[in-house]
Amino acid sequence: MHITKNLVPEKERKPLYDDIMTLPFGETFTDHMFIMKYSPEKEWHDPRILPYGNLALDPAAVVLHYAQEVFEGQKAYKSPAGEILLFRPWENARRLNKSLARMCMPLLPEGLFLEAEDALLREEARWVPSQRGASLYVRAAVIATEPAIGIRASRSYLFFIICSPVGPYFKDFAPIRVKISSAYVRAVDGGTGEAKTGGNYAASLLATMEAKKEGYSQVIWLDGRRKRFIEEMGGMNIFFVRGKTLLTPPLTGTILHGITRKSIIEMAGSRGLRVQETRLDVDDVMRMISRKEITEAFACGTAAVISPIGAIAYEGKEFTVSEKTGPVTQGLYTELTAIQYGVTPDPRGWVYTVNP
């Protein structure tokens, strides 16, 4: 793929952050972005790296009216040797295509996805922080651009990638308080729950805002049909620790196929843990927490990696899981982040090194 480049002159590039660890998450952006167009005649074409800036869209663009769009989120890390590393990016490429298929959008060749990210990250290398706990968040998205207000799939699309230097999603690796939503649902059977599309996240905003007003960091979602089974937390997958077993909801079509989730499941055996993917009745889980049968709970995803859960509010009562981060949660976080930052060997071949 030949990528046309229009780069910002060195003397005009943005100043770097003063303190990455206190930078608000996802509000600072790098100098450049990658874009590529799609049309039925040319398919994916015209790849370019340009100065970061506004997109020009027709007011009738399908994305603005029918939310035909998908995105991916991942992080670039800097190893002790100064290499730029991505964690399992081919999984992001595959998941992007699953989302594209669900939203009636053209698939993007996995090799093209990786080549585009690699090229952009080479240009933005100075933005990748070296501190542990900090990274360069990479957001790839595909949006429908054809001007048409009849309800149908677009015929033209734009693929773009932007980058944002970030510190920790939650500032301290300490247990957070969350609330189970009984009034709202995020996804239903047969819907778009497992696609990484913006509408799923828009549906979560009201419940999350209300929970935060009550002092909770995030919302745990129940299934949309019976409001009985735990599904996920915010945009993250969720695990409960019961003895040597990790309990987690199965992927039934309403839950995002988390890459961090998949990695934890694959790591579990080497840590003496077994994983049980099972429907988790919310009342049963609350009883197990009350009886101290469940001793730890955590959510996982690209942004926070792993976030320990200290307390869960449900039906007017707060259930304390643990006031401290438990050993299972801590152990998984330590092992996973050491691989991501290139601090320890990568026996599973999960890490991709960006070409220098």
Side-chain angles (χ1 to χ4, degrees), residues 138-175:
V138 182
R139 169 57 59 89
V142 184
I143 62 174
T145 56
E146 183 184 5
I149 55 174
I151 302 178
R152 61 169 175 80
S154 175
R155 287 187 286 258
S156 63
Y157 298 88
L158 181 71
F159 168 49
F160 64 90
I161 306 172
I162 57 176
C163 300
S164 174
V166 296
Y169 190 76
F170 296 113
K171 295 305 179 185
D172 299 305
F173 190 64

Side-chain angles (χ1 to χ4, degrees), residues 65-87:
H65 299 269
Y66 305 118
Q68 198 188 13
E69 67 86 36
V70 302
F71 67 94
E72 272 297 322
Q74 56 195 123
K75 288 179 176 179
Y77 307 90
K78 187 168 286 186
S79 75
E83 299 168 309
I84 298 174
L85 308 177
L86 290 169
F87 184 71

Side-chain angles (χ1 to χ4, degrees), residues 268-341:
S270 64
R271 302 191 65 83
L273 301 168
R274 64 183 290 263
V275 177
Q276 187 176 351
E277 297 181 73
T278 184
R279 301 295 296 271
L280 296 172
D281 184 294
V282 61
D283 293 322
D284 290 343
V285 170
M286 295 304 109
R287 278 193 292 269
M288 285 189 282
I289 291 173
S290 297
R291 296 169 183 169
K292 301 301 179 184
E293 295 174 27
I294 287 176
T295 54
E296 299 177 45
F298 62 87
C300 64
T302 297
V305 186
I306 291 176
S307 179
I309 297 170
I312 301 172
Y314 176 59
E315 298 292 0
K317 182 178 179 181
E318 188 166 290
F319 298 78
T320 299
V321 182
S322 177
E323 296 180 356
K324 298 181 180 180
T325 301
V328 173
T329 305
Q330 183 68 63
L332 287 166
Y333 176 81
T334 300
E335 181 179 354
L336 189 57
T337 54
I339 294 170
Q340 290 173 332
Y341 283 92

Side-chain angles (χ1 to χ4, degrees), residues 103-124:
M103 300 302 290
C104 297
M105 302 168 76
L107 302 188
L108 190 72
E110 293 177 15
L112 187 153
F113 177 91
L114 289 172
E115 190 176 348
E117 285 194 322
D118 193 288
L120 182 60
L121 287 169
R122 288 201 304 271
E123 298 298 339
E124 305 296 66

